[in-house]
């Protein structure tokens, strides 16, 4: 049984068919990249997995459980974290608070314990301290210490991308969806990002699905690649095989 | 360098000794006021304290969670009537009736929160507006609630202690206000408060964090209604009477104005906003006595506005002050505070 299994997924918006009979199996522990030209339907796949869109047809099972019909917050609490193509951070909050929100599903404080945490030993305060320590380790891992107490609104684009990645990591997901993690970054930042993604897979034991336009990065770190075009899956396989696939060359690589 | 730090420092109530000292001094002043202040001053302070509770509660909804309500006078009324009716008709002692009133109001808040799951912005404003007006209508037409005449409120009492003087009322009301303010400061720093702000900043991202949107939105309404209900109950005792007429749309809007003038998403701002608007409203009742401009305003009012004049010029002046604050300090009085703090930190350079 696949870790994540997408079967016969179709979705359309009005007259526009964004995905047509897509099936993708994702094995645990791999880095799988989804490539394809603009508008191919890559982000739509993520939105279907995370419950933002409800597909017209098909099923998505994660560790044997059906995801279609689940609300985004339910999908998140099952261990699926994501980043967004256009960065969705809590812009008035600091980096620390953004990452702490990643800990939300692992914390228990409710309105009553939250309103009464005065002393060091109260349950809410103890929990808060414990999770701040975990978040601090992620901040160190991504080397964003200097952004720790700054509202993300005031951070440069590249740092925001890292904060969003950190927030997803703070959720301790088993499946991580990255939508164009290196978009808008310079060469050096891209290389760092590549190492981090690999480290994340190895150190955090996370399965990663990544949408990415930078082919060097994709070829370098992917274990498998899925190519989409106009909502149709063209190929799935090892990077070299997909890269040589004539349909893919025609549709995607040929354009460049 | 030893990097190990204690994260309790980040979340404790008094992050620095300055804050601790300032708070202690402030509380000490609050404690000795009744020994010096006259009856009227205590009455004004009681109103400020009660409005502070409302503003804090409303700010949790508006400032922190990013929802809107034009119906908080409804919760204020529900709290006031619940508490007084529980005491008068069911003989429930004040110390139980007060929290009960808060929880009854919270239940209504939860129910009113349900449309917030589907409605946004102006639509939610209209839904809450309808709620506020419906509450007043129901209360003023029911015999059980005393109809238009309202009901007389018994004095607050805690065990053998009966708050039948202005100073005693002050003691009860201010104590409750301080407790609720501290609870709010804690809450907004906790997991729950962070979830509220997350919803305000990005619902999409909040859901991606596993935040149960329906739950936290309705919870924000319930918490906000709880605060407002408690405040409404205290108001019944401060005025020694409840009647439906006072819980109108203007009151709901005044509450909202306190939050905006004080500063969105700030507990201290809520208190400052409540204090400023309460004080202004009382002062403007006697604006014709103001030195210099008083007679002039009275004249303007008589000449260009209705024959009674004064109420109109009051509304205009208070409106102008609110507009000025929002234009010159969008962060409200909390923003002024932040700027002052920054100034003193670098003083005298
Ligand atoms: N909510 C929506 N409403 C209408 N059309 C949509 C919606 N979401 C996606 N689409 C359409 O579906 C198609 C696929 O969009 P998607 O965002 O998945 O593309 P993509 O592969 O991520 O492209 P890009 O590389 O530009 O990010 C596009 O034609 C897009 O316009
Ligand atoms: Mg996309």
């Amino acid at each position: 049984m696949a870790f994540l299994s997408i079967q016969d997924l179709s979705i359309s918006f009005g007259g526009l068919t964004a995905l047509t009979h897509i099936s993708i199996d994702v094995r645990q522990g791999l880095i799988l990249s989804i490539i394809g030209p603009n508008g191919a339907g890559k982000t739509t796949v993520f939105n279907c997995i995370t419950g933002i869109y409800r597909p017209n047809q098909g099923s998505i099972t994660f560790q044997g459980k059906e995801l279609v019909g689940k609300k985004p917050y339910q999908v998140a609490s099952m261990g699926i974290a994501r980043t967004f193509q256009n960065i969705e951070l809590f812009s008035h909050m600091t980096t620390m608070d953004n990452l702490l929100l990643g800990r939300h599903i692992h914390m228990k404080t409710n309105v009553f314990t939250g309103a009464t945490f005065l002393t060091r030993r109260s349950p809410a305060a103890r929990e808060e301290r414990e999770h701040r320590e975990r978040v601090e380790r992620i901040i160190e891992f991504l080397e964003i210490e200097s952004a720790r107490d700054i509202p993300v609104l005031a951070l440069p684009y590249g740092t925001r991308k890292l904060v969003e990645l950190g927030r997803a990591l703070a959720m301790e997901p088993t499946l991580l969806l990255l939508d164009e993690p290196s978009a808008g970054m310079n060469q050096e930042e891209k290389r760092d990002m590549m190492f981090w993604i690999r480290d994340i897979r190895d150190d955090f034991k996370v399965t990663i699905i990544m949408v990415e336009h930078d082919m060097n990065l994709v070829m370098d770190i992917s274990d498998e690649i899925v190519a989409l075009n106009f909502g149709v899956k063209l190929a799935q396989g090892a990077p070299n095989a997909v890269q040589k696939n004539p349909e893919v060359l025609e549709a995607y690589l040929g354009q460049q | 360098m030893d990097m190990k730090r204690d994260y309790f420092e980040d979340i404790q109530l008094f992050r620095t000794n300055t804050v601790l000292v300032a708070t202690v001094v402030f509380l000490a002043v609050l404690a000795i006021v009744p020994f010096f202040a006259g009856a009227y001053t205590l009455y004004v302070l009681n109103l400020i304290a009660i409005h502070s509770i409302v503003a804090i509660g409303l700010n949790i909804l508006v400032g922190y969670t990013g929802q809107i309500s034009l119906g908080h006078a409804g919760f204020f009324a529900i709290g006031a009537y619940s508490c007084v009716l529980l005491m008068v008709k069911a003989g429930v002692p004040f110390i139980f009736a007060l929290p009960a009133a808060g929880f009854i109001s919270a239940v209504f808040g939860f129910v009113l929160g349900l449309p917030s799951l589907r409605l946004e912005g102006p639509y939610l404003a209209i839904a809450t507006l309808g709620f506020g007006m419906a509450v007043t209508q129901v209360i003023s037409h029911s015999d059980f609630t005393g109809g238009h005449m309202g009901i007389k409120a018994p004095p607050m009492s805690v065990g053998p202690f009966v708050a039948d003087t202005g100073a005693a009322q002050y003691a009860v009301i201010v104590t409750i206000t301080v407790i609720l303010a501290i609870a709010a400061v804690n809450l907004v720093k906790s997991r729950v408060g962070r979830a509220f702000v997350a919803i305000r900043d990005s619902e999409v991202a909040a859901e991606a964090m596993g935040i149960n949107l329906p739950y936290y939105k309705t919870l924000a309404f319930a918490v906000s209604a709880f605060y407002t209900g408690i405040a409404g109950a205290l108001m019944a005792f401060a005025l020694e009477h409840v009647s439906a007429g006072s819980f109108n749309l203007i009151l709901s809007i005044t509450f909202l104005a306190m939050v905006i003038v004080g500063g969105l998403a700030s507990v201290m701002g809520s208190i400052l906003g409540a204090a400023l608007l309460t004080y202004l409203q009382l002062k403007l009742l006697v604006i014709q006595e103001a030195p210099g401009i008083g007679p002039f305003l009275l004249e303007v009012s008589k000449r260009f506005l209705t024959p009674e004049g004064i109420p109109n010029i009051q509304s205009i002046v208070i409106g102008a002050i609110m507009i000025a604050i929002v234009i010159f300090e969008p962060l409200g009085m909390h923003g002024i505070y932040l700027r002052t703090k920054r100034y003193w930190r670098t003083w005298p350079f």
Side-chain angles (χ1 to χ4, degrees):
Chain A
M1 187 183 66
F3 185 58
L4 178 86
S5 173
I6 300 174
Q7 293 297 328
D8 199 27
L9 192 71
S10 296
I11 184 170
S12 54
F13 302 99
L16 184 123
T17 322
L19 295 175
T20 328
H21 304 297
I22 298 284
S23 297
I24 304 171
D25 275 351
V26 185
R27 277 180 292 152
Q28 188 160 15
L30 297 193
I31 297 177
L32 179 130
S33 292
I34 302 179
I35 60 169
N38 292 116
K42 306 179 295 292
T43 300
T44 304
V45 171
F46 278 10
N47 286 342
C48 288
I49 296 174
T50 52
I52 292 178
Y53 292 163
R54 201 190 167 112
N56 304 113
Q57 191 196 328
S59 84
I60 305 171
T61 50
F62 174 62
Q63 295 178 311
K65 292 190 214 84
E66 180 62 53
L67 293 184
V68 173
K70 289 230 157 46
K71 298 251 162 52
Y73 70 83
Q74 294 169 320
V75 174
S77 56
M78 290 170 74
I80 301 180
R82 72 174 289 182
T83 64
F84 293 85
Q85 186 167 353
N86 298 312
I87 308 186
E88 281 283 349
L89 284 168
F90 307 113
S91 46
H92 296 92
M93 293 194 200
T94 62
T95 298
M96 185 63 168
D97 280 337
N98 268 275
L99 268 62
L100 278 168
L101 273 154
R103 302 298 306 161
H104 182 86
I105 47 175
H106 300 288
M107 296 173 79
K108 294 191 190 65
T109 300
N110 60 34
V111 66
F112 298 107
T113 54
T116 51
F117 80 86
L118 289 175
T119 63
R120 190 174 286 271
R121 294 219 187 77
S122 72
R126 219 185 302 167
E127 185 181 62
E128 187 78 15
R129 256 156 60 206
E130 182 190 318
H131 289 272
R132 276 172 187 265
E133 260 170 52
R134 281 168 178 270
V135 163
E136 197 72 34
R137 260 177 267 148
I138 293 169
I139 289 178
E140 274 165 33
F141 171 72
L142 294 174
E143 297 166 20
I144 46 176
E145 287 94 341
S146 60
R148 185 181 183 278
D149 297 316
I150 299 179
V152 292
L153 203 74
L155 294 173
Y157 181 84
T159 316
R160 282 190 218 179
K161 280 235 136 183
L162 290 181
V163 174
E164 206 194 18
L165 176 63
R167 190 183 63 180
L169 283 180
M171 294 172 71
E172 287 179 30
T174 47
L175 176 63
L176 179 59
L177 312 177
L178 303 175
D179 201 345
E180 308 203 5
S182 83
M185 293 187 155
N186 63 35
Q187 281 310 318
E188 196 185 341
E189 288 170 329
K190 279 189 182 188
R191 211 185 45 234
D192 285 346
M193 183 56 88
M194 194 173 84
F195 287 124
W196 271 318
I197 292 173
R198 214 181 261 146
D199 279 358
I200 288 165
R201 193 261 311 264
D202 297 340
D203 298 355
F204 293 76
K205 308 268 180 282
V206 189
T207 307
I208 296 174
I209 308 179
M210 174 176 86
V211 167
E212 183 54 61
H213 281 296
D214 185 309
M215 283 315 286
N216 292 330
L217 202 152
V218 168
M219 296 306 291
D220 238 30
I221 65 172
S222 311
D223 299 303
E224 246 181 74
I225 294 179
V226 167
L228 295 184
N229 192 24
F230 291 118
V232 177
K233 183 168 125 178
L234 300 181
Q236 173 165 8
N240 288 326
V242 172
Q243 196 183 27
K244 293 198 193 86
N245 182 306
E247 268 188 281
V248 175
L249 285 173
E250 161 83 25
Y252 184 70
L253 302 170
Q255 286 182 343
Q256 298 197 328
Chain B
M1 192 171 77
D2 183 15
M3 284 301 287
K4 193 149 174 55
R5 29 188 313 230
D6 182 356
Y7 294 102
F8 189 67
E9 278 169 25
D10 289 349
I11 50 169
Q12 62 193 349
L13 201 51
F14 309 111
R15 285 185 61 169
T16 61
N17 284 335
T18 326
V19 177
L20 178 62
V21 170
T23 311
V24 169
V25 169
F26 180 67
L27 291 180
V29 170
L30 285 183
I32 58 169
V33 158
F35 298 103
F36 300 99
Y40 180 72
T41 309
L42 286 176
Y43 168 74
V44 174
L45 290 175
N46 283 343
L47 291 194
I48 289 178
I50 290 167
H51 286 157
S52 297
I53 299 175
V54 180
I56 291 170
L58 186 57
N59 215 338
I60 288 175
L61 183 71
V62 178
Y64 288 93
T65 320
Q67 309 291 302
I68 186 85
S69 169
L70 285 179
H72 263 52
F75 298 123
F76 204 59
I78 288 169
Y81 275 94
S82 305
C83 193
V84 172
L85 288 173
L86 279 172
M87 288 171 72
V88 173
K89 305 235 167 176
V92 178
F94 169 73
I95 42 165
F96 297 118
L98 182 71
F103 282 108
I104 291 170
S105 181
V107 169
F108 278 91
F110 178 81
V111 173
L112 182 63
L114 294 176
S116 77
L117 308 176
R118 302 223 164 263
L119 303 177
E120 256 175 49
Y123 302 98
L124 183 59
I126 297 302
T128 53
L129 176 81
F131 163 79
M133 303 208 311
V135 169
T136 323
Q137 283 302 313
V138 170
I139 289 174
S140 62
H141 288 103
S142 162
D143 287 339
F144 185 66
T145 53
H148 279 294
M149 301 297 293
I151 336 172
K152 193 173 159 14
M156 301 181 277
S157 60
V158 185
F161 172 77
V162 179
D164 48 7
T165 66
Q169 285 182 344
Y170 171 90
V172 175
I173 291 172
V174 170
T175 306
I176 292 169
T177 308
V178 169
I179 292 171
L180 289 178
I182 291 174
V185 170
N186 280 320
L187 184 68
V188 298
K189 277 190 305 193
S190 76
R191 167 178 183 260
V192 176
R194 265 197 306 269
F196 287 160
V197 181
I199 291 172
R200 180 196 71 191
D201 274 10
S202 165
E203 288 195 7
V204 174
E207 278 204 290
M209 297 301 104
I211 291 169
N212 184 334
L213 229 50
Y215 175 79
Y216 279 96
K217 275 190 179 179
T218 45
L219 180 67
F221 263 97
V223 171
S224 186
F226 176 85
Y227 271 75
T228 310
I230 296 274
L234 294 176
M235 191 61 134
F237 300 110
L239 302 177
E240 292 168 9
H241 186 265
V242 269
S243 65
S246 52
F247 305 113
N248 52 23
L249 173 63
I250 298 293
L251 185 63
S252 289
I253 292 177
T254 308
F255 290 157
L256 209 51
M258 289 172 184
V259 169
I260 293 167
V261 165
L264 288 166
S266 159
V267 172
M268 191 172 68
S270 309
I271 296 170
L272 293 175
L276 180 73
L277 283 200
T278 307
Y279 179 78
L280 273 182
Q281 278 189 328
L282 292 169
K283 273 289 162 208
L284 290 173
L285 285 176
V286 290
I287 194 165
Q288 65 272 33
E289 291 165 15
I293 57 161
F296 166 74
L297 286 175
L298 189 62
E299 190 56 32
V300 170
S301 194
K302 277 199 182 124
R303 189 158 314 165
F304 300 106
L305 304 165
T306 60
E308 308 97 274
I310 287 306
N312 288 310
I313 203 81
Q314 278 162 15
S315 311
I316 292 171
V317 171
I318 211 161
I321 293 172
M322 269 155 41
I323 292 171
I325 291 182
V326 173
I327 289 177
F328 294 112
E329 187 52 76
L331 296 178
M333 295 168 75
H334 180 65
I336 298 173
Y337 161 77
L338 289 180
R339 222 143 5 91
T340 321
K341 197 170 78 172
R342 213 173 307 142
Y343 173 79
W344 283 112
R345 194 179 291 151
T346 51
W347 190 83
F349 304 103

